[in-house]
Amino acid sequence: MAMAAMPAIGHAMQDAAPAAPAPAPATSTIQQLFEQSTQATEAADYPRALEILTALEGRVVRNPRSLAIVRVRKAMVLAELSRWVEARDLLNQAAPALPRDDASLSTDRYRAAYTLGRVSMGDLDYVGALAHFSAALAEAEGPAARIQALLGQAQAGTFVDPAEALKAAEAANVIAVADPKMFDKASLAHIDLIRGRALLNLGQFDPAEKLFARAVKQQGGLTTKVDFDDLVTRSDASIAAMLAGHRDTARNYLVYTGAGRMPQQDFTQGADMALPRCGEDGVQPDDYAVVEFGISDSGAVSYARPVYGSRPGPSALAFARAVRDWSWRPDDVKNIPALFRFVTRLELRCSTAEGGPSMLAGPTKALGDWLEARRVPGPVLDNVPMTRQRALLLQQAN
C-alpha cells in the first residue's frame, strides 16, 4: 500500500501566539471565578481559562476538596493546550483528594480519570490510557459521558486489543442511535470513525470502508470545500479502500484531502526523521504503519498518533514514538505549507540503518502525476475553527 501525505487543519492552531489574557478581577468571588473559568473553557479560550483557574487555585488552597476540584479543571485546560506533563502532575495531586465515597464528586472523578486517559494517549501510553478510560466509564453519568469514555477505550484499545476496542465502539454506537435527537451527524460520524479504525486494525477492510464512507456522507459528502473533520475522515476512507483493493476509490478520497498537491518544497529536507530499527521494540521487518503527526513552529513534533498498523496490537505505537522524536530546523519549518504542518499522515516501515529515506517523494509524486493526467482540481481547504463539541469529540492527541 502506498500512501501519500495527508494534510489537514485544526490541531496546530495552538502554535499561534495567543493574545495576553485579561487579568481576573481581584474583587471576584470564588463562585464568580469558577463561572468565568467555565465560560472561557466552553469558548475554547484556554489561556484565559488557565489564568482564571490559577488565580482560583490560590484562593481555595486551604480547602482540600475545593482545591482538588479546581486542579482537575485546570488539568483539563492544560491538556487542551497539550501541556501533558503539567496536566498529569496536577491530576496526580488532585485525584487522590476526591473521596470515592462522596457521590457528589462523581463528575469530578470522571473528569480526572478521562483527562488522565487523554494525557496517557498524548504520551503514547495506550495501556495506561485504557485503564484510565475504564475508570472514567465506571464514574460516567448520562449517555454523553458514557459514550465519551467508551470511545476513549476504543481509541486506546485499538492498539492494545482491537477486538475489545471494537466492542467498546459498538457499545458507544448503541447508546447514540438509541437517542438520535441528542447526537448530530458530526457526532455520529465520529463514532463511525472510531468503529472503522478498530475494524481496520482487525484486518476487516471492507466493513471499515463502508463505515468510513457513511461518515463521509454524514459530513456532507465529497465536496471541494474541506475542513479538519472532512480531511481526517477522507484519509481514513482512502486507507481502508486501498487495503480492500479498491485503488481508484482510494485515489478519489485522496483527491478530496488535497494529497498530491504538495509544492516543490519537500518537507523532508533538513529533517531528522529516524525510523524504528527492524527487530527492536517488537517491530518486525514486514511491519508498516500509518502515523499522523503535526509540526510546531519550533520544528518539534507537536503530537503523533498511530492510525493503522499492518499487524494487530502495539507495533504501530513504536512507529508513532519514532515520529514523536522527529524534528526540523525552525527556518525550514517556515517553508513547509501550513496544512502539512498542522496534520500529516505517512506510511512508515522500519529501517535496517540509522535515519531513513524520504517517505514522501515516491507516493506523493505518483498521486500528483495521476491528478495532473486527469486534470482534477484541488479542493478548497476551509480553515473554519472547530466547534467546542467537535473539539471534544476529536480529543487531540489526539
Side-chain angles (χ1 to χ4, degrees), residues 266-309:
D266 183 349
F267 83 4
T268 64
Q269 291 181 8
D272 179 4
M273 301 174 70
L275 298 171
R277 297 292 299 276
C278 297
E280 296 181 358
D281 297 325
V283 177
Q284 299 177 8
D286 292 338
D287 289 344
Y288 62 91
V290 176
V291 176
E292 177 183 301
F293 64 98
I295 307 170
S296 67
D297 290 342
S298 69
V301 169
S302 55
Y303 80 97
R305 66 172 182 174
V307 176
Y308 169 72

Side-chain angles (χ1 to χ4, degrees), residues 4-212:
M6 191 287 292
I9 57 180
H11 281 298
M13 292 299 179
Q14 64 196 33
D15 292 334
T27 56
S28 296
T29 66
I30 288 175
Q31 183 60 37
Q32 287 172 335
L33 286 174
F34 193 85
E35 291 172 355
Q36 290 167 18
S37 71
T38 300
Q39 292 170 359
T41 301
E42 290 179 347
D45 187 355
Y46 301 122
R48 171 67 172 161
L50 181 60
E51 188 266 345
I52 296 171
L53 287 165
T54 299
L56 187 56
E57 189 178 13
R59 295 275 292 272
V60 300
V61 70
R62 295 184 180 180
N63 185 326
R65 185 179 186 275
S66 297
L67 181 61
I69 294 171
V70 170
R71 283 178 168 169
V72 168
R73 304 297 177 94
K74 184 177 177 180
M76 292 169 64
V77 171
L78 288 168
E80 293 293 344
L81 295 169
S82 297
R83 292 165 62 172
W84 309 115
V85 174
E86 295 169 80
R88 182 194 302 104
D89 290 346
L90 210 55
L91 288 169
N92 286 338
Q93 297 176 51
L98 298 171
R100 294 195 174 277
D101 58 355
D102 187 340
S104 68
L105 293 176
S106 179
T107 297
D108 296 284
R109 289 192 296 269
Y110 169 84
R111 289 170 172 159
Y114 182 80
T115 305
L116 279 168
R118 289 192 61 202
V119 169
S120 296
M121 286 192 71
D123 283 344
L124 295 175
D125 175 11
Y126 278 34
V127 173
L130 185 56
H132 291 307
F133 288 132
S134 297
L137 182 61
E139 297 284 356
E141 297 179 349
R146 287 187 60 79
I147 286 176
Q148 193 176 47
L150 284 165
L151 292 181
Q153 284 185 323
Q155 287 178 296
T158 294
F159 298 98
V160 177
D161 185 339
E164 289 300 313
L166 180 60
K167 290 180 182 178
E170 295 291 359
N173 186 61
V174 168
I175 297 172
V177 298
D179 192 355
K181 293 182 179 180
M182 184 174 180
F183 302 98
D184 61 14
K185 288 184 178 180
S187 301
L188 295 174
H190 181 69
I191 294 172
D192 279 346
L193 285 181
I194 305 304
R195 296 167 67 200
R197 287 174 196 157
L199 286 166
L200 192 70
N201 283 277
L202 282 167
Q204 298 183 37
F205 306 133
D206 284 313
E209 183 183 358
K210 290 177 182 177
L211 278 179
F212 292 143

Side-chain angles (χ1 to χ4, degrees), residues 227-251:
D227 67 8
F228 173 82
D229 297 1
D230 297 322
L231 286 163
V232 170
T233 305
R234 295 169 191 184
S235 174
D236 285 346
S238 72
I239 294 170
M242 185 71 77
L243 289 166
H246 307 145
R247 300 182 68 84
D248 284 342
T249 301
R251 290 191 184 102

